[in-house]
Amino acid sequence: MSIASQLIGRKFDQICFVVPDIEAAIEMWKKTNGVQVWNVAYDLAKEQTQKEYRGQPGDFQFSCAYGFAGDTLIELARHDGGRSLYKDWVDERGYGPHHIGFRQSDADEYAQAEVHYRTMGIEKAMAGFFEGPFGNCRWSYWDTRAQIGFYTELYYVDGELNERMQALRSGQNVSITS
């Protein structure tokens, strides 16, 4: 079995939409698609470290909302400032689907998946590291627009954040960031 099959393909769990207004997008998802429980993280990138944008230090700021439709994590992202793929996307294509995500089990799997993407010649376009009160999240967006039409995220979470994500998936109103 290939690295891609073991570490990436079996780990799909997310789709992200860039939105102009998080609260309005949440209301639409509630009324239209029945996703009732959301966790909103304003200024999510403010405390992040190891921020990268197209191979340079990143200065991006963004806010996100998270909810689950079945086992799929729905992320609603709003660009708040700096250079970011969210801003680029809105400028080039408008609001809408931005990336799909593959959640790795831990830091080792994440590192192996990154090596695989680099070996495939895929550019890491944006990345960061979030150290939160309940655990950490390392994430990176890879430029797969030419292959599939949008970006691909690799990420992992650790600590109590795993349990909080599971509680959110089961419909509990929990915070994953504060």
Side-chain angles (χ1 to χ4, degrees), residues 18 53-54 79 82-94 98 125-126 143 145 151:
V18 178
Y53 172 81
R54 302 249 177 233
H79 171 78
R83 297 171 303 142
S84 80
L85 296 184
Y86 301 135
K87 173 82 166 90
D88 297 347
W89 190 265
V90 170
D91 289 348
E92 295 168 12
R93 300 180 184 210
H98 179 264
M126 194 165 115
D143 194 347
R145 291 174 301 164
Y151 293 98

Side-chain angles (χ1 to χ4, degrees), residues 146-178:
Q147 295 86 355
I148 61 174
F150 39 83
Y151 293 98
T152 299
E153 179 179 17
L154 298 175
Y155 75 106
Y156 77 91
V157 299
D158 64 19
E160 185 184 328
L161 191 51
N162 280 311
E163 290 80 31
R164 287 177 174 264
M165 292 291 285
Q166 185 59 37
L168 186 63
R169 177 181 284 122
S170 70
Q172 296 176 43
N173 193 359
V174 298
S175 174
I176 59 174
T177 58
S178 61

Side-chain angles (χ1 to χ4, degrees), residues 3 6-8 11 103-115 154-156:
I3 294 277
Q6 293 172 349
L7 296 179
I8 301 170
K11 308 286 182 153
R103 181 176 170 186
Q104 305 306 293
S105 298
D106 55 35
D108 290 336
E109 274 191 12
Y110 174 88
Q112 290 175 47
E114 271 201 328
V115 167
L154 298 175
Y155 75 106
Y156 77 91

